[in-house]
Amino acid sequence: MLKLDYDAILALAAVVREGRFDMAAKSLNVTQSAVSQRIKQLEDRVGSVLIVRGRPCVPTEAGLQFCRYVEQVELLQHELNERMKSLGGTSGSAAAQIRISVNNDSLATWFPNVIKRAKNELGIRFDIFPDDQEHTENRLKTGEALAVVTAIETPVQGCRRVSLGAMEYIAVASPEFFDANFPNGVSIETLKNTSCLAFDRKDTIQDQWMMNCFGETVEVSTHMVPSYEGYVACCLNGTAWGLVPSVAAHDHIKRGDLIELSPENSVRVSLHWQTSTQSSEILRRLGDLVLEVAKVHLSPDMYRSG
């Protein structure tokens, strides 16, 4: 059996978390030289490179295995402390940190309610990777995250999926933009020469909306705005039209700040919670909490496990 230095594994996890050796050293309250030496000794012992030095430093596949190990140990330690606390053996425990990946629109709308409740009820601190809802599951596949909110229905191998509900998106624009570009109404023809917003090059929701409305898509001039706040601001200031979560858009529409391009059409994106089938008790409780909050804020969907 390979005997490993736990301090070295903690140093590796700190470098991955912070992205830099100096910041990892600061977080561990040791010297940068000590961090480098511990990781080098660990690499020598396992016979494999564990981290690719760069800006930021990233783990190799072997390095990710150690990061997963550290996270699982920390969660188990947190659960043990909680059990001992309930038996009167300890006075308390530090918050457990859980690395998850959540789509940007959820982070900007309903998921902050999860963060607050998880902190207060479960003693959880989050390390969240934001991404597009169709790509968050990649973080689960690589081991960078222990759980994800994703639009992908098929469970990652070795993982369990719980359906959360659907986020509804509606196409909106400012009154000035609408009047200037759609004086005769919104059609596939009038969309051709307009400016549209996309979160990034992976974002295809605009094409989905056009297909729902007209059964075809057209080329539009697209601005890439990889920020939820920036995206909405560009809709409000008349830069372009875009797809915004209805839960966030309705207040703007009521105030007259935005106009919905096609009130009878929307795009519904089903969201799912995925985590390992071997996840800990605290991750199971977190999953229950995520589902509870999602049912309040997302559109009804088929709430089932997979």
Side-chain angles (χ1 to χ4, degrees):
M1 178 183 293
L2 185 62
K3 293 185 178 180
L4 301 174
D5 181 352
Y6 191 65
D7 286 340
I9 301 175
L10 288 176
L12 172 67
V15 172
V16 173
R17 181 178 65 250
E18 302 293 340
R20 290 165 45 183
F21 276 73
D22 57 339
M23 295 301 295
K26 184 177 180 180
S27 71
L28 295 173
N29 197 29
V30 298
T31 65
Q32 183 173 338
S33 175
V35 171
S36 298
Q37 185 176 17
R38 290 175 185 177
I39 293 177
K40 182 62 169 62
Q41 291 173 344
L42 183 61
E43 289 178 326
D44 289 343
R45 181 163 294 185
V46 301
S48 177
V49 174
L50 301 177
I51 195 164
V52 178
R53 279 72 170 171
R55 291 186 178 273
C57 296
V58 295
T60 63
E61 182 61 33
L64 276 174
Q65 301 303 315
F66 284 102
C67 292
R68 294 175 191 171
Y69 169 76
V70 168
E71 289 176 334
Q72 292 291 345
V73 169
E74 289 178 347
L75 290 181
L76 290 172
Q77 182 177 346
H78 177 79
E79 291 174 6
L80 177 61
N81 287 340
E82 288 297 308
R83 293 192 187 101
M84 293 302 296
K85 179 182 176 181
S86 68
L87 295 172
T90 61
S91 59
S93 61
Q97 178 167 292
I98 297 179
R99 292 158 66 91
I100 64 175
S101 187
V102 180
N103 63 305
N104 293 282
D105 291 340
S106 290
L107 272 179
T109 51
W110 64 276
F111 204 82
N113 296 286
V114 173
I115 298 173
K116 180 179 181 180
R117 287 191 55 186
K119 171 184 175 293
N120 294 335
E121 299 173 25
L122 303 179
I124 288 175
R125 291 184 295 113
F126 286 107
D127 185 0
I128 298 178
F129 297 100
D131 206 340
D132 183 87
Q133 60 259 13
E134 295 181 0
H135 299 274
T136 51
E137 89 285 354
N138 290 331
R139 303 281 189 177
L140 195 59
K141 291 177 180 177
T142 63
E144 293 177 273
L146 294 176
V148 299
V149 175
T150 176
I152 304 301
E153 184 174 0
T154 304
V156 173
Q157 185 175 3
C159 293
R160 176 174 180 264
R161 172 188 58 79
V162 175
S163 295
L164 300 176
M167 180 168 281
E168 182 183 46
Y169 291 82
I170 58 177
V172 296
S174 70
E176 294 78 13
F177 185 94
F178 189 91
D179 292 342
N181 291 273
F182 308 114
N184 299 315
V186 179
S187 67
I188 199 68
E189 290 298 322
T190 57
L191 283 170
K192 280 184 179 179
N193 297 315
T194 61
S195 295
C196 179
L197 296 168
F199 191 83
D200 55 28
R201 286 173 176 79
K202 296 181 289 186
D203 188 359
T204 63
I205 198 168
Q206 297 76 21
D207 288 339
Q208 295 177 51
W209 178 79
M210 284 188 277
M211 285 297 297
N212 285 352
C213 291
F214 311 108
E216 60 179 310
T217 64
V218 291
E219 290 288 336
V220 291
S221 176
T222 305
H223 298 283
M224 304 291 177
V225 184
S227 157
Y228 174 86
E229 294 78 7
Y231 189 109
V232 174
C234 286
C235 288
L236 289 167
N237 71 12
T239 298
W241 63 273
L243 274 293
V244 175
S246 60
V247 65
H250 283 155
D251 285 344
H252 291 295
I253 293 172
K254 288 180 181 178
R255 290 195 298 265
D257 299 330
L258 292 173
I259 293 177
E260 191 170 355
L261 270 60
S262 180
E264 65 274 15
N265 289 291
S266 64
V267 175
R268 290 168 59 89
V269 177
S270 295
L271 295 177
H272 313 276
W273 176 256
Q274 288 202 40
T275 189
S276 171
T277 55
Q278 299 179 349
S279 60
S280 63
E281 172 65 17
I282 195 168
L283 274 175
R284 185 195 65 77
R285 293 169 62 193
L286 174 60
D288 292 342
L289 191 154
V290 170
L291 178 59
E292 184 179 333
V293 175
K295 285 183 176 181
V296 174
H297 296 278
L298 299 181
S299 299
D301 203 0
M302 290 169 41
Y303 294 94
R304 66 182 190 278
S305 300

